[in-house]
Amino acid sequence: MFGLRRTGLVLATAALLPATISPATADSRHGHGVPLDRLTVVTTEVAAGLTRPVAMVAATDRSGRVLIAEKRGTVRVFHPRTGLAADPVLDISDRVNSVANERGLLGIVPAPDFRRTGDVFVAYSRLPDGALTLSRVPLGDPAGEQVLLTQDHAQFSNHNGGQLAFGRDGYLYWSLGDGGSAGDPNANAQNLGTLLGKVLRLDVNHRCGDLPYCVPRGNPFVHTPGARPEIWAYGLRNPWRFSFDTDGSLWLADVGQGAFEEVNHVGNSRGGVNFGWSCMEGPAVFKAERCDEGAHYTAPVFHYQTGVEGCAVIGGHVYRGKRYARLAYGTYVATDYCSGTAWAVREGRHGEHETGSIGQFPPQVTSFVADRSGELYAVTDRTGQLFRVGFDRVAA
């Protein structure tokens, strides 16, 4: 699949490290609805004709539009009443390196002043060298692009990450993969001196010195010698998709190496979290020599076996819509690129997480979006279809 198929190494050992990992805690409003074994997803195609869509976001101008990024460097618009517009509203394909399967236009999010400016932030791999690039650009005006930040990514073409989202704190979060190949050969994910294998947090509403952004004072490594101050969280392999719940908590899916796919959930304002890669893969040791006895690794709240139950986790959203609130309110929904299994996770009142499978999505889902009403959509890679996601009750 685009950006997510793992290669090569498997677990160095199956030994768990209960002394060095701990369950994540979170603050999300507790889910309710029918038990997971009585819940199933229902998908309805609402559009087709997309070209390798990879990311989606709801416009923030009350129009009801959904912006859909295509791998080649174009952005299309879908509206529930008028459907999928034929022509892109943005085309930056002349600067996007999309030749390799995992490179391309990777993420999109409206700027805070989108209603006034029509600006969006985009993340993409740059021509010619594949450098990961974060830019602000007006829809319809590629020449107006302002590059904010780049990270070298020339050695390998895979593991680019690419999700963009604003947190409840008003800061922009950006996920970057570990730099590629297999097994994190350069040990980037645990290295605070590089942006690779990290989630960044940036204040894009202000400038600081020569930078076109500011580093928030509360970032965890601002005063750590040798660390990049933009880093918010680390220890990630390929954080392809993450989302924020309405309480500000972070749901992040990280694509595994060869044994485990994982979903992580951490509470609002928890900076400095180490998700463990490449010491850990999911709940188990991957490379013991990468493990630090003094480190605190945050365990995933859900994991499943790569090669047995799928090939690459696709992170989704917590359902907060009204249409299916009695069935699925507060349920985090994700899938796998290969198997199409619909995975559900709910947090309990004491921080525990209930998990289960709730039916099937079409294969090769690459991204989800929650529209302004909290209703969910999913998009597929090679077939270029957009589906509305619903829920139904089934017999126990």
Side-chain angles (χ1 to χ4, degrees), residues 240-259:
W240 170 247
R241 292 290 167 249
F242 67 80
S243 62
F244 289 101
D245 196 3
T246 51
D247 66 345
S249 64
L250 172 68
W251 291 84
L252 183 148
D254 196 15
V255 180
Q257 174 65 43

Side-chain angles (χ1 to χ4, degrees), residues 327-374:
L327 297 174
Y329 191 84
T331 303
Y332 174 78
V333 180
T335 190
D336 184 273
Y337 181 83
C338 293
S339 70
T341 302
W343 298 112
V345 184
R346 284 180 182 163
E347 188 201 12
R349 295 187 178 277
H350 304 290
E352 75 281 7
H353 289 81
E354 174 191 8
T355 65
S357 60
I358 55 169
Q360 288 289 127
F361 283 108
Q364 296 189 347
V365 168
T366 53
S367 188
F368 292 88
V369 68
D371 68 13
R372 288 183 58 83
S373 300

Side-chain angles (χ1 to χ4, degrees), residues 48-119:
L50 292 156
T51 303
R52 302 206 70 184
V54 295
M56 297 189 292
V57 67
T60 54
D61 57 0
R62 299 182 181 179
S63 66
R65 297 181 298 169
V66 172
L67 305 177
I68 305 174
E70 297 175 311
K71 179 182 184 293
R72 60 189 175 183
T74 50
V75 177
R76 307 276 295 279
V77 168
F78 169 81
H79 193 283
R81 290 196 301 270
T82 59
L84 180 68
D87 297 324
V89 290
L90 181 66
D91 186 346
I92 56 170
S93 57
D94 61 343
R95 65 208 70 172
V96 172
N97 185 335
S98 61
V99 176
N101 186 51
E102 301 201 11
R103 287 175 169 161
L105 177 56
L106 305 170
I108 183 171
V109 67
D113 56 0
F114 177 79
R115 292 178 64 184
R116 177 176 59 85
T117 64
D119 287 357

Side-chain angles (χ1 to χ4, degrees), residues 9-13 15 17 182-187 190-191 276-281 284-295 297:
L9 300 177
V10 296
L11 287 178
T13 173
L17 289 183
D184 192 10
N186 298 319
Q190 292 295 317
N191 178 7
W277 177 255
S278 54
C279 160
M280 308 294 295
E281 181 187 7
V285 173
F286 177 77
K287 277 189 177 180
E289 63 270 26
R290 298 268 175 88
C291 300
D292 182 349
E293 290 184 3
Y297 303 114

